[in-house]
Amino acid sequence: MDVVAAGFWGAFFCTATLMLVISLAAFARSHRRVALMAGVTSVVSAAFVVAYLGWLPLHDVGVEARVLAHVAIATAVCLALMLMSTLGMLRQRAVGGRAMALLVASGLLVLAAGWMLEAPAALVLSSVTAFAIGAGMLLVTIRGALRGDRAGWVAVAGIVCMLVALAGLSWIAMNRTTAWPVHALSATAGVVYLCVIAVVLWARYSYLLELSEVLAHGPSYDPVTRMRSHSETGQMVGDIFFHRDAEARPIGVIAICIANLYALENLHGRAAFNHALFICASRLRRTVPQYVEMGRLSEDGFLLLVPNAGDLQRVAQLAQQIRNRMVRPVSLSVSRDPAGLEAARTVWEAEIGIGVLVTNTQVRPAQAISTARAMARTAWTYGSRLAFFDQDAGQIAELQTDWADLAAWAA
């Protein structure tokens, strides 16, 4: 092998080794599923590269081709399952079971067909099948990314790199005299793939670390929501409303109340309550712009203050975005054991109500917040789950989601 090519592959094996060491550290912290996925991904990837570079102690070309055909299928199935588990695609047992059965059955079918062919043809068939499995995973991750999956586009980039590395290694296995640029491209793509998987797993690992603390401490531990505590929310309201200028400043008040949190606690315990609150707060933070101030509003709600918001339509659009994000189903864990946090067995949907109020800083803050909260609780009875105070009727009413009608009303 060329010296330059050896250097690139050395970088790849260093990356795989580092990933394996990190997985052992995660295993020591009791997050065994994360450690298993990282360890298996690094070991399987390294073993595949070793085999396809021709470093196995096999001297017969036919035998080597047969072995590589089996290695290609086993690696493709294993990495596909690891990636699906990393992205949370196997949480639903029925869907995950069918996906696993389909992958394994396809692999066995290809291997059986390969034994009816010559060894080189079997290697080509297995390599093409492995590439097809990777392409299928690429389509699945693109679909998830288009639906708003946070790790979706990162996973897409990783799978693209994996396909590049697979194509390069397949070419190397079939043409042992390949020039060093093919080795360099394949090794670089393999390094990027491992780095992407490490990033996704680290995000999952840090999420589980924080979630374990949340389930242990409950609402008294502020990282449940990673927002202002109740007392700090009161301080925030005071700072905004009592910082008076020469003129009253418009401000939008959004109150969010979750109706079924306490029912969840009665059915599944405090850990499920804390997990649900944690997920709702995480979704809220990802939806709300940076200029919006937010904090806790009792144990079952949140308060948002939108500065300089004199336009009801602007605040209503933000409220609708919040509603659309927070009502998505979530799989909850009912275990306090860190090793069992991913064993989500309870599917829950937040029954939320959102009250939207456009006022100004000259209004008493207690009155504004109590009004918004009352509207949020009233919104539980509305189909849109959005409520506002109709000045003409003098009562709480359902907020229009047709922006043309809403703009006409505001005018």
Side-chain angles (χ1 to χ4, degrees), residues 9 12 45 48-49 52-53 79 127 130-131 157-173 182-194:
W9 286 118
F12 170 82
S45 300
F48 178 81
V49 171
Y52 263 59
L53 289 179
L79 291 183
S127 298
F131 194 90
I159 295 178
V160 169
C161 292
M162 181 189 70
L163 292 176
V164 172
L166 176 60
L169 285 166
S170 299
W171 183 265
I172 292 169
V182 179
H183 286 273
L185 179 62
S186 303
T188 302
V191 169
V192 175
Y193 166 70
L194 290 180

Side-chain angles (χ1 to χ4, degrees), residues 306-324:
V306 185
N308 301 318
D311 184 4
L312 176 63
Q313 182 176 353
R314 172 190 169 193
V315 182
Q317 286 177 335
L318 176 59
Q320 186 182 31
Q321 293 173 4
I322 293 171
R323 179 204 62 188
N324 293 342

Side-chain angles (χ1 to χ4, degrees), residues 20 24 31 96 103 105 138 155 211 223 250 282 284 365 377 382 402 404-405:
L20 181 60
L24 295 177
H31 294 279
L103 280 172
L138 179 62
L211 181 56
S282 298
L284 182 61
R377 292 179 177 272
Y382 297 147
D402 186 337
D405 295 343

Side-chain angles (χ1 to χ4, degrees), residues 128-183:
V128 171
T129 302
F131 194 90
I133 292 174
M137 290 302 303
L138 179 62
L139 295 178
V140 172
T141 52
I142 289 176
R143 181 183 179 187
L146 294 175
R147 290 184 173 182
D149 186 0
R150 293 181 65 193
W153 292 117
V154 178
V156 168
I159 295 178
V160 169
C161 292
M162 181 189 70
L163 292 176
V164 172
L166 176 60
L169 285 166
S170 299
W171 183 265
I172 292 169
M174 299 171 193
N175 303 274
R176 291 301 184 193
T177 59
T178 305
W180 72 264
V182 179
H183 286 273

Side-chain angles (χ1 to χ4, degrees), residues 93-119:
R93 295 186 177 182
V95 177
R98 287 196 297 268
M100 293 175 63
L102 179 61
L103 280 172
V104 174
S106 301
L108 293 176
L109 181 62
V110 171
L111 290 179
W115 280 102
M116 302 177 185
L117 303 172
E118 297 293 333

Side-chain angles (χ1 to χ4, degrees), residues 106-289:
S106 301
L108 293 176
L109 181 62
V110 171
L111 290 179
W115 280 102
M116 302 177 185
L117 303 172
E118 297 293 333
L123 175 58
V124 172
L125 176 62
S126 295
S127 298
V128 171
T129 302
F131 194 90
I133 292 174
M137 290 302 303
L138 179 62
L139 295 178
V140 172
T141 52
I142 289 176
R143 181 183 179 187
L146 294 175
R147 290 184 173 182
D149 186 0
R150 293 181 65 193
W153 292 117
V154 178
V156 168
I159 295 178
V160 169
C161 292
M162 181 189 70
L163 292 176
V164 172
L166 176 60
L169 285 166
S170 299
W171 183 265
I172 292 169
M174 299 171 193
N175 303 274
R176 291 301 184 193
T177 59
T178 305
W180 72 264
V182 179
H183 286 273
L185 179 62
S186 303
T188 302
V191 169
V192 175
Y193 166 70
L194 290 180
C195 291
V196 167
I197 296 299
V199 168
V200 175
L201 286 174
W202 173 251
R204 187 65 179 168
Y205 176 62
S206 59
Y207 167 83
L208 292 176
L209 284 177
E210 186 173 12
L211 181 56
S212 64
E213 294 294 328
V214 166
L215 298 188
H217 294 87
S220 61
Y221 185 66
D222 202 45
V224 170
T225 60
R226 288 173 287 179
M227 293 181 183
R228 292 177 173 89
S229 63
H230 301 291
S231 60
E232 290 174 346
T233 299
Q235 183 65 38
M236 173 193 72
V237 173
D239 291 341
I240 293 177
F241 275 85
F242 292 113
H243 182 69
R244 300 181 184 275
D245 297 331
E247 298 180 357
R249 291 177 289 110
I251 187 170
V253 181
I254 299 178
I256 304 170
C257 293
I258 306 174
N260 56 344
L261 270 178
Y262 294 109
L264 178 68
E265 180 182 11
N266 292 334
L267 288 173
H268 300 286
R270 192 65 179 185
F273 177 97
N274 294 336
H275 194 175
L277 190 61
F278 175 75
I279 294 296
C280 289
S282 298
R283 290 177 173 178
L284 182 61
R285 284 195 317 276
R286 292 195 295 267
T287 306
V288 173

